[in-house]
C-alpha cells in the first residue's frame, strides 16, 4: 500500500507559536479564535475591509451613518465603580470637530486607551442628549511604525475579529507576514476546467486578496472563490453520499397494496392532491431496488403523518418491519396512539420504545422486535440505542428530523440492511437552500393544507391587554374550544421559568379561570404524568393547558383553537411558527396571541411582525434566515456537516447553485475521486468532512 500522500505543504501545518513574531503567549490568544496552524490563519479572513483612502471628517457626521473616522483621544471616562454595564466614553477630536466615542461591555479598554493617542474608529453615529456620539464597533491605535504603515493606511485595510489582549494592528501585521510567507504554498484543489468555467481566481491569489486586496474587484473575486470552495466541498460530500445510496442495492418493497386499500376507507377524510402526489413518489421509491432516501417537507399541519402511515403499511405488507423516530416522548406517544388506532383494525401490532420504559418492559419489547414478532416500532432516540435490533427493518421514518443530527438518522438506518429512509420536517427551507443541508436526499413537498383550514389569526399584544385576553380565552372555552398558554423555557434559567409556568397555572386556576379545568405540562414531569395530561387534554378533560415548549413539535389536538404565547419576544421565529402550528388544525377559526413584555429588541420586533404578517412557513423561514444567519439557522454543528469558512446564506445562494452543478459533474464521472487531477480535492474533502466520508481507497 502506498503511503498516504502528504499533499499539504508542511509549512502550512506549522503551529502558529513558531511563526515569526508569535510566541507562546500570542499563540494562546490565537488559539482562543480556533487558530492553531498557519493554514488556520490563512483561512481566518477579515470580517470586513475598510477603505482607508476615504475617512469621514467629524464635522460631516450625521446620526444613523456608519463611518470610519480618525482623531485624537481626549479624556477617557470609565463607567463608575459598580456600574460595569454602563459604557466607556471618550472624547475624540479631529481638525473639523469633536464627537463622544462610546464602547459597550469592554471595560478592559480602560487600560489600553490613553489621552493623546491617535485612533481610527469605526461605528455608528448617534445623538444622545443633544451630543453627537459614535458607538464604536472596532478601532485601532495608530502608531507610526515606519514601513508597516502601508498595511494600515491609504488602502483597503482588513479588519479582523479581535480578542482581549490581541488588538487590530499587531494582528494585521501578523496576518500580513503569514500571507506573504505562506499563501503561495496552499495547493490548488479545484480542477482547472471548473476554475476556468466559473471564472474563479486561483486559491493562493484568492487568499492573498481576501486579506490584502489591491481593489474592490479583487476582493469580490476572492470572496467568490472562497465561498465557492465552501459550497463545493459540502456539495461534493453530499453528492458522494447520495450516489453511494442510489447505486447500492436496497430492498424492493412492491406489494399489491392491500393494506393501504383497506386503510383508506377508514379515514375520516380523503387525501389532498399534494398528499396523493407525495405518496406516489414514496411508493415508487419503495418499489425500486435502490434504498429510498427522501425528505418530506411540509408546513405544520399539512398532514405528513398519514403519508408516513401509508409507507409503513406498505413495508409491513411486503413482510418487513418499520420504525418511526420522533424527537420528544410526547410526540412519540401521540404517534403511537395514531398508528395503533390505524393499524390495529388491520390486525397489526405496534410497539412503543422510549427511555421512560421500565427495564423489564423494555427488554420484552426489544426481544419482540429482534424476533420479528412486532412489525412496527415507534419511539424516541431510544430506538437507536445499542441493544435495539430488528429482524428485518425495511423502512425507517424520522419525524421532525431537524431535531436530530445526521448521525442519529444514520444510526436508525443502520438498524437494517439498507432500509428505505423517509425523513420529515416542518421547517420549511427555501428550495435552493434545502440543497445545502439536504443535498443527499430527494425532496417531496406537501404544498397544500387539508381543505377547510383557515389561516391562524395572529396578533401581538402587550401586558396592558391581559384582562381582555383572558375574557377572550374564556369566551372561546365557553364556545367549546381548548386553549394553550405557552411559557418560554430556556435552559440557563430553567428553574425560574419552570416556576413561572407552575405559578401561572395555579394563578389562572385560582383566579380568572376558576370555573374551567386548567392543566400543566412541562418536560420535568414523569412520562406517566405527561401521558396522562396529554390524554386528558385530547379527551377534552382539560380546557386550558399551560405548557412549556414541550408541545412545540408535532402535537395534534384539532379542538385546541387558541394559543397564548407569553414572553413571545423570547422565542425564535421558527419556534413561534412551530408553536402556532398546534392551532388551526380543525374547522374553527383559530387564534395565536403573542404577548410581549418589557421593551423587545429590534430583532424580537421583527420576529413578532413576521408572525402577524404571514402564516406561510416558507416566508417565515426566509425572514428567520435573514435574522439569524445561516450558521444558526441550519444548526450546522448539530447537523454534523462541515462548516463554512467564508460562504454565507442567503447572500451567496447563486454561488451555491454553481457549486452544486460542478459537484454533480465530478461525482458522475469519478465518484471515488481516483483520477490524479482530483487528488488535492480528495484530500481537502476528507479533511473537511473529518472522517464522515471515508472514500473507498484512502492512501
Ligand atoms: P403535520 O404535517 O404537521 O405532521 P399531521 O400529520 O399531524 O400534520 O396532520 C394534521 C391534522 O390534519 C391531523 O389531525 C390529521 O388527521 C389531519 N389531516 C391529515 N390529512 C388530512 C386530509 N387530507 N384532510 C383532512 N384532515 C387531514
Ligand atoms: Mg407531524
Amino acid at each position: 500500500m502506498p503511503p498516504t500522500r502528504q499533499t499539504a505543504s508542511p509549512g502550512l501545518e506549522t503551529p502558529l507559536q513558531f511563526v515569526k513574531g508569535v510566541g507562546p503567549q500570542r499563540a494562546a490568544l490565537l488559539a482562543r479564535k480556533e487558530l492553531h496552524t498557519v493554514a488556520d490563519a490563512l483561512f481566518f479572513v477579515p470580517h470586513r475591509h475598510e477603505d482607508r483612502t476615504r475617512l469621514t471628517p467629524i464635522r460631516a457626521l450625521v446620526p444613523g451613518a456608519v463611518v470610519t473616522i480618525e482623531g485624537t483621544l481626549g479624556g477617557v471616562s470609565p463607567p463608575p465603580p459598580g456600574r460595569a454595564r454602563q459604557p466607556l466614553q471618550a472624547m475624540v477630536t479631529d481638525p473639523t470637530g469633536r464627537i463622544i466615542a462610546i464602547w459597550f461591555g469592554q471595560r478592559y479598554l480602560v487600560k489600553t486607551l490613553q489621552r493623546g493617542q491617535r485612533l481610527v474608529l469605526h461605528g455608528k453615529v448617534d445623538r444622545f442628549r443633544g451630543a453627537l456620539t459614535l458607538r464604536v464597533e472596532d478601532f485601532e491605535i495608530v502608531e507610526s511604525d515606519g514601513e508597516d504603515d502601508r498595511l494600515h493606511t491609504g488602502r483597503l485595510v482588513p479588519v479582523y475579529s479581535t480578542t482581549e489582549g490581541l488588538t487590530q494592528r499587531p494582528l494585521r501585521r501578523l496576518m500580513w507576514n503569514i500571507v506573504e510567507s505562506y499563501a503561495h504554498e496552499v495547493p490548488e484543489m479545484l480542477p482547472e476546467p471548473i476554475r476556468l468555467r466559473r471564472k474563479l481566481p486561483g486559491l493562493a491569489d484568492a487568499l492573498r486578496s481576501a486579506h490584502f486586496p489591491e481593489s474592490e474587484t479583487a476582493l469580490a473575486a476572492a470572496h467568490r472563490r472562497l465561498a465557492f470552495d465552501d459550497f463545493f466541498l459540502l456539495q461534493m460530500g453530499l453528492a458522494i453520499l447520495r450516489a453511494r445510496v442510489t447505486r447500492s442495492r436496497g430492498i424492493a418493497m412492491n406489494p399489491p397494496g392491500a393494506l393501504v386499500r383497506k386503510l383508506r376507507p377508514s379515514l375520516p377524510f380523503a387525501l389532498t392532491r399534494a398528499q396523493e402526489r407525495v405518496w406516489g413518489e414514496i411508493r415508487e421509491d419503495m418499489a425500486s431496488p435502490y434504498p429510498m432516501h427522501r425528505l418530506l417537507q411540509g408546513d405544520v399541519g399539512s398532514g405528513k403523518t398519514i403519508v408516513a402511515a401509508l409507507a409503513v403499511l406498505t413495508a409491513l405488507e411486503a413482510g418487513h418491519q418499520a420504525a418511526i423516530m420522533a424527537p420528544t416522548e410526547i410526540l412519540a406517544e401521540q404517534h403511537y396512539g395514531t398508528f395503533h388506532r390505524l393499524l390495529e383494525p388491520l390486525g397489526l401490532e405496534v410497539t412503543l420504545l422510549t427511555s421512560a420504559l421500565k427495564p423489564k418492559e423494555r427488554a420484552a419489547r426489544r426481544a419482540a422486535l429482534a424476533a420479528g414478532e412486532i412489525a412496527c416500532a415507534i419511539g424516541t432516540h431510544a430506538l437507536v440505542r445499542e441493544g435495539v435490533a430488528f429482524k428485518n427493518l425495511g423502512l425507517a421514518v424520522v419525524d421532525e428530523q431537524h431535531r436530530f443530527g445526521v448521525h442519529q438518522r444514520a444510526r436508525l438506518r443502520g438498524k437494517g440492511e439498507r432500509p428505505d429512509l423517509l425523513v420529515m420536517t416542518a421547517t420549511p427551507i427555501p428550495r435552493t437552500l434545502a440543497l445545502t443541508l439536504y443535498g443527499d436526499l430527494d425532496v417531496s413537498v406537501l404544498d397544500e393544507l387539508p381543505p377547510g383550514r383557515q389561516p391562524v389569526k395572529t396578533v401581538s399584544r402587550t401586558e396592558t391587554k391581559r384582562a381582555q385576553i383572558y375574557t377572550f380565552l374564556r369566551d372561546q372555552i365557553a364556545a367549546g374550544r381548548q386553549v394553550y398558554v405557552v411559557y418560554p423555557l430556556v435552559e440557563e434559567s430553567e428553574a425560574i421559568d419552570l416556576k413561572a409556568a407552575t405559578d401561572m397555572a395555579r394563578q389562572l386556576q385560582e383566579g380568572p379561570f376558576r370555573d374551567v379545568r386548567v392543566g400543566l405540562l412541562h418536560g420535568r414531569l414523569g412520562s406517566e404524568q405527561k401521558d396522562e395530561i396529554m390524554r386528558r387534554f385530547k379527551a377534552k378533560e382539560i380546557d386550558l393547558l399551560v405548557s412549556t415548549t414541550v408541545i412545540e413539535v408535532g402535537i395534534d389536538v384539532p379542538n385546541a383553537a387558541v394559543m397564548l404565547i407569553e414572553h413571545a419576544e423570547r422565542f425564535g421565529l421558527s419556534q413561534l411558527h412551530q408553536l402556532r402550528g398546534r392551532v388551526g388544525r380543525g374547522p374553527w377559526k383559530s387564534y395565536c396571541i403573542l404577548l410581549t413584555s418589557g421593551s423587545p429588541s429590534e430583532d424580537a420586533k421583527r420576529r413578532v411582525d413576521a408572525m402577524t404578517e404571514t402564516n406561510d412557513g416558507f416566508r417565515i423561514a426566509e425572514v428567520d434566515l435573514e435574522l439569524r444567519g445561516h450558521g444558526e439557522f441550519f444548526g450546522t454543528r448539530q447537523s454534523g456537516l462541515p462548516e463554512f469558512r467564508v460562504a454565507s446564506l442567503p447572500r451567496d445562494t447563486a454561488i451555491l447553485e454553481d457549486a452544486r452543478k460542478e459537484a454533480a459533474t465530478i461525482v458522475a464521472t469519478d465518484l471515488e475521486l481516483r483520477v490524479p487531477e482530483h487528488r488535492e480535492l480528495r484530500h481537502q474533502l476528507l479533511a473537511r468532512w473529518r472522517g464522515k466520508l471515508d472514500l473507498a481507497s484512502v492512501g
Side-chain angles (χ1 to χ4, degrees), residues 245-535:
V245 168
T246 51
R247 283 171 197 202
S248 61
R249 268 202 103 66
I251 309 161
M253 295 186 279
N254 194 12
L259 287 176
V260 168
R261 265 198 305 280
K262 265 197 224 162
L263 179 77
R264 280 179 180 262
S266 73
L267 296 174
F269 49 74
L271 295 194
T272 63
R273 266 196 321 256
Q275 283 170 320
E276 290 289 1
R277 187 189 69 237
V278 168
W279 164 231
E281 290 163 2
I282 293 172
R283 193 181 40 203
E284 228 172 83
D285 278 0
M286 291 182 74
S288 94
Y290 305 106
M292 170 165 79
H293 213 206
R294 187 168 286 276
L295 170 73
L296 169 50
Q297 194 175 294
D299 209 344
V300 281
S302 58
K304 295 182 286 295
T305 318
I306 189 67
V307 175
L310 300 182
V312 166
L313 283 181
T314 303
L316 302 196
E317 187 177 329
H320 289 272
Q321 289 172 299
I324 301 139
M325 183 162 73
T328 64
E329 263 177 44
I330 295 179
L331 184 53
E333 282 279 354
Q334 174 181 292
H335 281 335
Y336 172 73
T338 306
F339 279 80
H340 182 71
R341 211 175 55 241
L342 296 175
L343 269 56
E344 199 200 37
L346 306 174
L348 300 163
E349 207 182 327
V350 182
T351 195
L352 179 69
L353 267 190
T354 66
S355 314
L357 289 177
K358 306 242 154 53
K360 213 170 132 194
E361 187 55 35
R362 180 179 338 155
R365 292 186 192 180
R366 284 181 175 187
L369 276 179
E373 293 157 16
I374 292 180
C376 178
I378 296 177
T380 55
H381 54 272
L383 276 177
V384 296
R385 287 273 152 70
E386 262 170 68
V388 177
F390 290 82
K391 181 144 184 267
N392 62 348
L393 184 64
L395 173 71
V397 180
V398 180
D399 193 15
E400 307 289 350
Q401 85 100 29
H402 56 284
R403 293 296 202 88
F404 294 100
V406 274
H407 315 296
Q408 279 157 317
R409 207 161 84 185
R411 269 165 69 189
L412 184 59
R413 206 158 24 121
K415 297 284 177 187
E417 292 265 333
R418 294 194 212 91
D420 284 340
L421 176 69
L422 177 64
V423 302
M424 310 200 288
T425 186
T427 300
I429 288 176
R431 204 199 72 82
T432 42
L433 303 189
L435 300 173
T436 56
L437 199 51
Y438 304 127
D440 60 332
L441 301 173
D442 292 306
V443 179
S444 292
V445 183
L446 281 180
D447 49 6
E448 178 187 0
L449 293 178
R453 295 279 173 79
Q454 307 172 42
V456 179
K457 184 168 171 153
T458 306
V459 295
S460 147
R461 294 284 181 266
T462 56
E463 203 53 43
T464 54
K465 289 280 161 48
R466 189 175 282 280
Q468 281 111 303
I469 295 172
Y470 284 170
T471 306
F472 176 73
L473 298 189
R474 277 209 309 275
D475 291 348
Q476 285 286 314
I477 293 171
R481 300 290 75 74
Q482 288 163 284
V483 173
Y484 294 103
V485 177
V486 183
Y487 257 83
L489 185 74
V490 284
E491 256 163 64
E492 307 91 76
S493 55
E494 187 173 324
I496 302 169
D497 289 338
L498 216 50
K499 184 163 181 313
T502 313
D503 289 349
M504 177 53 101
R506 184 165 6 91
Q507 279 167 23
L508 292 179
Q509 180 72 86
E510 289 169 2
F513 295 90
R514 231 168 294 127
D515 44 348
V516 312
R517 293 157 302 181
V518 176
L520 172 66
L521 185 67
H522 58 72
R524 284 297 180 86
L525 294 175
S527 42
E528 272 165 34
Q529 284 167 297
K530 274 189 268 189
D531 290 353
E532 178 59 11
I533 306 257
M534 271 325 288
R535 188 196 61 72

Side-chain angles (χ1 to χ4, degrees), residues 78-79 83-89 102-110 135-137 139 163-164:
R83 310 287 279 282
R85 292 186 52 173
Q86 290 196 7
L88 178 76
Q89 302 189 12
I102 298 183
W103 285 264
F104 282 92
Q106 295 173 71
R107 242 185 103 76
Y108 60 86
L109 289 177
V110 175
R135 188 179 172 139
V136 180
E137 278 161 30
F139 77 100
T163 177
E164 185 175 350

